[in-house]
Amino acid sequence: MAKQDNVNMMIYSITNKQSVFQIYKSTISFEKLITQTLAQEPRLLFYIGSYSVQIHKNSAFSLTSDFDVTMTYNESAPDNIDQIIIDDGQYTLKNYTSLVYPETFYFVTDDPQDLTQRIHNSYNDIMTKYEGIYGLSTQYYTFDKISQKAALTATFNYCMPIPQLNQKIRQAEFKANNIIKDLSRGLNLLPFIKIYLAFTYLQQNTSYDHRGYNNLLADLESCKLDPAPHISYGPLVENRGICSGIAYAYKKLMESFNIECMVVHGELDEDGSMLHAWNLVKINNQYYHVDATRGIEQGVCFQNFMKCDSQMKGYRWDQSIVPAATGRHFSYDFIEDWLIDHGEDLVDAGIDSRYVFPDFIE
């Protein structure tokens, strides 16, 4: 049988995860045959767990052999080979522009350490859009005898199973839509007033979940025991959350108001460095920082509301993955002046005065 025919037979058998198959009249050793197979279809490396082969010479003088192959397959491999990505040395998670709660990515790569670094470098970019993720793990393996490439998986860790998370997110979206209807009273509000009302609502209706935060400091896995404060569901439905849940809740409210918003993950210097999350909102083609967690439970705190990058003292974040916040016009001072002149009109039109003129401002 021609060499290419044997390669094609190997590709077919491994792709279909056949546990036992035969190769006839090979003119090369099995190791060379499987090496050539993986050179032609490197994604198959992900399928192979281990193998054994019995060799049968066709005759004492023959240059060909038959192989009886027993193959075991990698249990973590995907069912469809098309799910496996061949890394071109440039891949990051940013290559995916429309993820729907990703779980596991499968790669074949020449340089697993470099790919792992590229994946982790783009992790926070995914976190600006998707809630419920609390970590990313990668692992890889190689078969040095038959391929110089490595099979690598990158797996997102979620605070709950995806179906349950999707259900909680839908409930949060439903609640956000209702909150916005109650806040706006059907009025055609200016964008900066929408940003303001969502902020004052969230700060006055959310309790900071200190137990959830302390548990998270002790063990990241603790978020699985009580996921609510870590996602938008907690602040919007149960009125409790930590910074990540509050930031995703604010994002939900902004999306219900049709205002572009993302979550920023970084660090905050406050008695040492601590992980923190807040938001970027877009208005008039410029971005502003909004931190709805700072000062929560102490009244409404505008210390870090509608700020540009240079005004976010004590905050650190990867500025390569989020837009620069350069907006200055729609500052809190501007909004406060506007409310002095027009706030009573909003109250007269039916908007709750607690959110137009909060009782306690820090």
Side-chain angles (χ1 to χ4, degrees):
M1 186 175 288
K3 189 184 300 183
Q4 185 58 50
D5 291 337
N6 282 331
V7 169
N8 291 340
M9 178 60 72
M10 288 281 289
I11 292 174
Y12 175 84
S13 299
I14 298 174
T15 300
N16 290 282
K17 296 185 179 181
Q18 294 181 358
S19 57
V20 177
F21 57 91
Q22 289 79 40
I23 300 294
Y24 298 107
K25 296 182 179 180
S26 175
T27 59
I28 58 175
S29 69
F30 183 76
E31 280 68 27
K32 287 184 178 179
L33 176 60
I34 197 169
T35 297
Q36 291 181 1
T37 300
L38 291 174
Q40 183 168 319
E41 181 45 275
R43 294 177 297 177
L44 292 179
L45 179 65
F46 225 113
Y47 279 25
I48 300 172
S50 63
Y51 63 88
S52 61
V53 59
Q54 290 186 335
I55 304 170
H56 306 286
K57 276 284 186 180
N58 287 306
S59 71
F61 303 102
S62 175
L63 297 177
T64 64
S65 301
D66 297 339
F67 303 134
D68 291 333
V69 184
T70 301
M71 187 79 65
T72 60
Y73 293 96
N74 181 5
E75 292 182 359
S76 64
D79 293 329
N80 188 340
I81 195 171
D82 291 334
Q83 293 177 255
I84 302 171
I85 302 159
I86 298 178
D87 174 41
D88 60 1
Q90 303 295 320
Y91 190 90
T92 74
L93 295 179
K94 294 179 183 179
N95 294 57
Y96 277 75
T97 58
S98 58
L99 296 172
V100 181
Y101 288 93
E103 290 189 74
T104 301
F105 292 93
Y106 307 92
F107 301 94
V108 173
T109 178
D110 291 320
D111 192 338
Q113 288 87 359
D114 180 63
L115 175 59
T116 297
Q117 188 62 54
R118 280 183 272 126
I119 288 172
H120 279 277
N121 287 347
S122 59
Y123 171 68
N124 278 348
D125 182 65
I126 298 297
M127 296 278 283
T128 65
K129 307 175 185 71
Y130 299 98
E131 59 183 295
I133 302 171
Y134 71 90
L136 174 69
S137 58
T138 58
Q139 60 181 4
Y140 70 91
Y141 69 90
T142 61
F143 277 112
D144 292 334
K145 286 185 178 180
I146 58 176
S147 176
Q148 296 303 308
K149 296 182 181 293
L152 182 146
T153 57
T155 303
F156 287 95
N157 302 315
Y158 286 88
C159 61
M160 65 179 73
I162 297 294
Q164 296 177 27
L165 176 61
N166 284 332
Q167 183 181 35
K168 295 293 185 185
I169 289 171
R170 286 193 294 270
Q171 289 176 287
E173 290 172 347
F174 180 79
K175 185 60 183 284
N177 288 333
N178 285 335
I179 290 169
I180 293 310
K181 288 178 183 177
D182 289 341
L183 276 177
S184 62
R185 296 297 181 180
L187 299 177
N188 185 21
L189 300 173
L190 293 166
F192 64 85
I193 294 300
K194 294 177 180 179
I195 292 169
Y196 173 87
L197 291 176
F199 182 85
T200 59
Y201 171 88
L202 202 56
Q203 283 233 318
Q204 293 181 85
N205 289 278
T206 307
S207 297
Y208 190 82
D209 195 322
H210 296 279
R211 183 176 67 175
Y213 176 73
N214 291 333
N215 289 342
L216 191 66
L217 284 181
D219 181 9
L220 285 176
E221 293 281 331
S222 70
C223 66
K224 291 184 175 181
L225 301 176
D226 183 17
H230 306 276
I231 59 177
S232 59
Y233 176 89
L236 295 178
V237 179
E238 297 186 0
N239 302 108
R240 64 188 179 99
I242 65 170
C243 62
S244 58
I246 293 167
Y248 286 116
Y250 191 74
K251 181 174 183 288
K252 282 280 185 292
L253 293 173
M254 288 293 91
E255 289 170 345
S256 294
F257 262 144
N258 295 315
I259 290 178
E260 183 179 328
C261 181
M262 64 186 69
V263 175
V264 183
H265 292 267
E267 295 180 343
L268 176 62
D269 288 330
E270 187 178 74
D271 300 326
S273 179
M274 57 187 285
L275 295 177
H276 192 52
W278 63 98
N279 298 92
L280 277 181
V281 295
K282 186 177 182 181
I283 177 174
N284 280 22
N285 292 317
Q286 290 188 310
Y287 289 91
Y288 295 78
H289 291 274
V290 172
D291 187 350
T293 302
R294 292 297 300 274
I296 204 165
E297 296 182 321
Q298 300 172 24
V300 179
C301 176
F302 294 106
Q303 179 182 351
N304 291 296
F305 174 73
M306 299 301 280
K307 300 288 189 178
C308 65
D309 286 345
S310 63
Q311 295 171 322
M312 295 297 283
K313 305 301 182 184
Y315 289 73
R316 294 192 302 275
W317 67 95
D318 185 348
Q319 298 188 29
S320 70
I321 64 172
V322 296
T326 58
R328 288 179 177 270
H329 179 71
F330 295 105
S331 65
Y332 171 64
D333 289 340
F334 170 87
I335 297 173
E336 184 181 40
D337 288 343
W338 190 94
L339 288 170
I340 290 172
D341 294 334
H342 306 286
E344 290 294 346
D345 295 335
L346 296 178
V347 175
D348 290 344
I351 294 180
D352 195 321
S353 62
R354 291 177 299 163
Y355 307 126
V356 180
F357 301 113
D359 291 333
F360 300 100
I361 296 178
E362 184 185 357

